[in-house]
């Protein structure tokens, strides 16, 4: 029970990786706010956590909207009175080559991954500062190093790396660790829709010659939000089977 008496907020936790994190962190004792714009998916995660013996509540805040994030934070404080952990996980893609990428594709991806992480960190950090304790983990992607047809996603995820390094500096004096997990090719329903040739090419580029699974990401996040990593901050952990770029 490494996270006994801790309270975590995980964004996008109705999704595949976020759900895995909610299950893993709650197994270690954390109370988890499962935030997801898709409230039905959030509620399903809560059901699975509770079935597994854990504690969780849900909220449907759109993380790009500060007013909604504040309501979500207020709900956590009302329920548990503190916030120890924030995992900025919500993210999505709108792929297109440069000439075909619309303003809407660009704004959607940047707003969700980058602005959403900023909005949540800004809303939650004061409660961590007050208690001189906090762990923030931002979920980037190995794509932050560059990938075809993803200039919006690559920029957002590189931004998340920058945000980690900036907030890590600003918040270190308050004993708040800020780190980043950059997943490589992870076996989720979304990556199952990849063209089989593309998937095979990526597996061949992965030194461990296999896809990662949801638990690999959840375990990395668990390490970074536990006190076993208390001297680690401003780091980017590649959970990618050794792959260094797509
Ligand atoms: N799956 C992978 O292989 C992989 C690889 C690298 C990085 N990532 C990153 O990991 C994170 C999770 O990915 P996933 O595969 O679980 O995605 P997912 O689509 O399964 O889950 C993302 C969740 O975010 C929610 N969401 C979308 N917009 C939101 C908003 N404005 N406010 C609140 N919630 C919102 C969605 O409803 C969804 O449930 C993302 O940031 C993604 O970029 C995933």
């Amino acid at each position: 029970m490494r996270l006994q008496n801790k309270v975590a907020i995980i964004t996008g936790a109705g999704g595949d990786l976020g759900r895995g994190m909610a299950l893993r962190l709650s197994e270690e004792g954390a109370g988890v706010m499962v935030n997801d714009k898709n409230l039905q998916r959030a509620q399903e995660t809560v059901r699975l956590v509770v079935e597994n013996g854990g504690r969780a509540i849900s909220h449907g805040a759109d993380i790009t909207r500060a007013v909604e994030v504040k309501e979500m934070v207020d709900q956590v404080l009302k329920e548990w009175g503190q916030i120890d952990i924030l995992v900025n996980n919500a993210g999505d893609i709108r792929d297109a080559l440069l000439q075909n990428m619309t303003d809407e594709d660009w704004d959607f991806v940047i707003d969700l991954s980058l602005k959403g992480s900023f909005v949540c960190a800004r809303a939650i950090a004061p409660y961590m500062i007050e208690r001189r304790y906090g762990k923030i983990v931002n979920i980037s992607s190995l794509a932050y190093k560059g990938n075809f047809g993803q200039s919006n996603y690559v920029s957002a995820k590189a931004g998340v790396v920058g945000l980690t390094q900036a907030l890590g500096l600003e918040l270190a004096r308050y004993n708040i660790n800020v780190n980043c997990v950059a997943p490589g090719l992870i076996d989720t329903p979304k990556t199952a829709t990849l063209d089989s040739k593309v998937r095979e090419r990526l597996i061949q580029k992965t030194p461990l010659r296999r896809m990662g699974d949801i638990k690999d990401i959840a375990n990395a996040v668990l390490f970074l939000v536990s006190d076993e990593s208390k001297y680690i901050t401003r780091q980017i952990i590649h959970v990618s089977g050794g792959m260094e770029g797509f």
Side-chain angles (χ1 to χ4, degrees):
M1 298 294 269
R2 282 181 269 180
L3 303 180
Q4 206 159 22
N5 303 320
K6 299 285 195 255
V7 173
I9 294 178
I10 307 175
T11 68
D16 302 313
L17 296 187
R19 180 171 288 167
M21 295 168 200
L23 285 163
R24 191 71 191 93
L25 269 51
S26 63
E27 269 170 16
E28 295 289 335
V32 179
M33 161 53 87
V34 176
N35 182 252
D36 202 295
K37 194 176 165 182
N38 183 333
L39 186 59
Q40 230 178 339
R41 291 182 69 167
Q43 287 166 340
E44 176 60 8
T45 299
V46 169
R47 193 188 67 75
L48 292 168
V49 167
V50 171
E51 193 178 86
N52 205 30
R55 297 176 294 139
I57 55 177
S58 61
H59 196 104
D62 175 341
I63 56 157
T64 65
R65 298 175 57 86
V67 176
E68 294 185 24
V69 169
K70 184 179 180 310
E71 285 168 8
M72 184 262 291
V73 169
D74 288 347
Q75 187 187 340
V76 177
L77 294 171
K78 195 166 161 220
E79 181 79 20
W80 288 312
Q82 66 189 64
I83 303 169
D84 304 279
I85 295 163
L86 166 65
V87 186
N88 282 315
N89 163 72
D92 206 349
I93 51 175
R94 288 285 185 279
D95 294 354
L97 289 171
L98 180 62
Q99 302 304 321
N100 299 326
M101 187 166 290
T102 64
D103 288 10
E104 289 72 27
D105 293 334
W106 178 268
D107 289 345
F108 172 82
V109 170
I110 301 279
D111 277 359
L112 175 52
S113 274
L114 187 52
K115 185 180 177 194
S117 300
F118 151 71
V119 167
C120 290
R122 186 181 58 182
I124 291 159
Y127 303 100
M128 297 178 166
I129 291 172
E130 194 174 80
R131 294 171 55 241
R132 297 289 189 273
Y133 185 91
K135 312 277 185 188
I136 299 177
V137 177
N138 297 321
I139 306 300
S140 177
S141 163
L142 208 59
Y144 82 89
K145 296 187 167 202
N147 200 14
F148 265 88
Q150 292 197 311
S151 55
N152 51 359
Y153 187 69
V154 168
S155 303
K157 293 304 194 183
V160 164
V161 168
L163 184 69
T164 303
Q165 297 194 320
L167 297 187
L169 269 186
E170 279 190 34
L171 299 176
R173 75 188 81 167
Y174 306 113
N175 190 36
I176 299 171
N177 303 57
V178 187
N179 289 294
C180 178
V181 169
L185 186 64
I186 308 300
D187 194 4
T188 63
K190 229 184 217 178
T191 50
T193 63
L194 276 177
D195 179 78
S196 62
K197 277 195 199 120
V198 174
R199 204 169 48 234
E200 196 44 43
R201 181 183 65 78
L202 290 172
I203 290 170
Q204 289 312 314
K205 279 190 86 174
T206 304
L208 284 179
R209 292 284 190 276
R210 61 173 187 268
M211 296 173 88
D213 60 42
I214 291 171
K215 282 196 174 146
D216 292 322
I217 303 301
N219 282 327
V221 170
L222 171 62
F223 173 64
L224 291 173
V225 303
S226 75
D227 286 330
E228 284 159 30
S229 62
K230 66 182 167 44
Y231 202 54
I232 299 175
T233 193
R234 304 181 68 232
Q235 300 306 305
I236 321 304
I237 312 286
H238 294 175
V239 183
S240 65
M243 182 166 44
E244 284 298 334
F246 285 122

